[in-house]
Amino acid sequence: TLEQRIQLLGLVRSEDPNVARGLIESTWQQDSPDDRAKFLEAMRPNLGPADESLLESALDDRKKSVRDAAAELLARSVESAYAQRMTQRLAGLVAYSAPQTRLLRKKAAQLSVSLPAEPDTAAKRDGLVAKARDGMGPQAAMLSDIVAATPLAFWSQFNAAPSELISAAVAGDFAQPLLGGWLRAATRQGSPGWAEAMLRALIDPKVQKNLPTPDAQNIQALIKVLTKDQAE
């Protein structure tokens, strides 16, 4: 049965990811689109570079659920070509100015953001769509998806701690898409530093005034990323 096959994949994946991927590939053409999507989701444990070829090919699947499952896994693979494409898209949209002190005046840090253009064919293949959601306009929602799929190492070029970048985002016009993207990136990539900074921001009354209340599932996902000491 499908359930037994998924259970088998989970067991094999924990022992030998390559064998598990081979099982998926061996019946890929015969399986239904819904089954293919579920088999891809079973690949999440021990995700590695060797999985990239199958996932890239799945981005061209006719079924949206298969494409979405592939994009989700590729976004977790920070060394993948998919992650690099997202990095290139984001690089042209953001700039950071560090805080400056001049005599008696202090200039706060500034995170400048431009909204992305309508998705081209390549962006659509990577799962990007300009569609309004969660109180965000189409382009802002797309920006959030790009941030969520970009390796968090991208932000290290600005020589600012995650908490500093978050504060700059909250002071700007695009706090919701940026924080929403960072939240997903922190959980996807398992970054304790970003997860802690996000949690501290989300319990800050100043932040809560400007953002929708995050759901409990997102909070739990961030907590799971923390080290034991951070969680305490």
Side-chain angles (χ1 to χ4, degrees), residues 20-71:
R21 186 182 63 258
L23 289 173
I24 295 173
E25 292 173 327
S26 68
T27 61
W28 185 262
Q29 298 300 328
Q30 291 76 43
D31 289 323
S32 71
D34 289 338
D35 288 357
R36 291 201 297 268
K38 292 175 180 177
F39 293 148
L40 288 183
E41 292 169 4
M43 290 176 59
R44 186 172 298 187
N46 293 325
L47 195 64
D51 300 317
E52 187 173 353
S53 178
L54 172 60
L55 297 176
E56 278 284 342
S57 66
L59 290 178
D60 297 314
D61 199 278
R62 287 180 294 178
K63 187 74 171 181
K64 185 177 184 299
S65 60
V66 178
R67 300 195 302 271
D68 288 347

Side-chain angles (χ1 to χ4, degrees), residues 142-160:
M142 184 174 163
L143 170 67
S144 187
D145 291 338
I146 294 172
V147 172
T150 298
L152 289 166
F154 166 85
W155 301 95
S156 63
Q157 65 182 298
F158 300 126
N159 297 314

Side-chain angles (χ1 to χ4, degrees), residues 173-208:
D173 297 327
F174 299 100
Q176 185 178 352
L178 288 171
L179 268 67
W182 283 330
L183 188 154
R184 283 185 286 159
T187 55
R188 279 172 169 172
Q189 299 171 36
S191 172
W194 272 95
E196 179 178 356
M198 284 297 305
L199 282 166
R200 291 190 182 279
L202 292 174
I203 62 174
D204 185 334
K206 295 179 182 178
V207 176
Q208 291 175 350

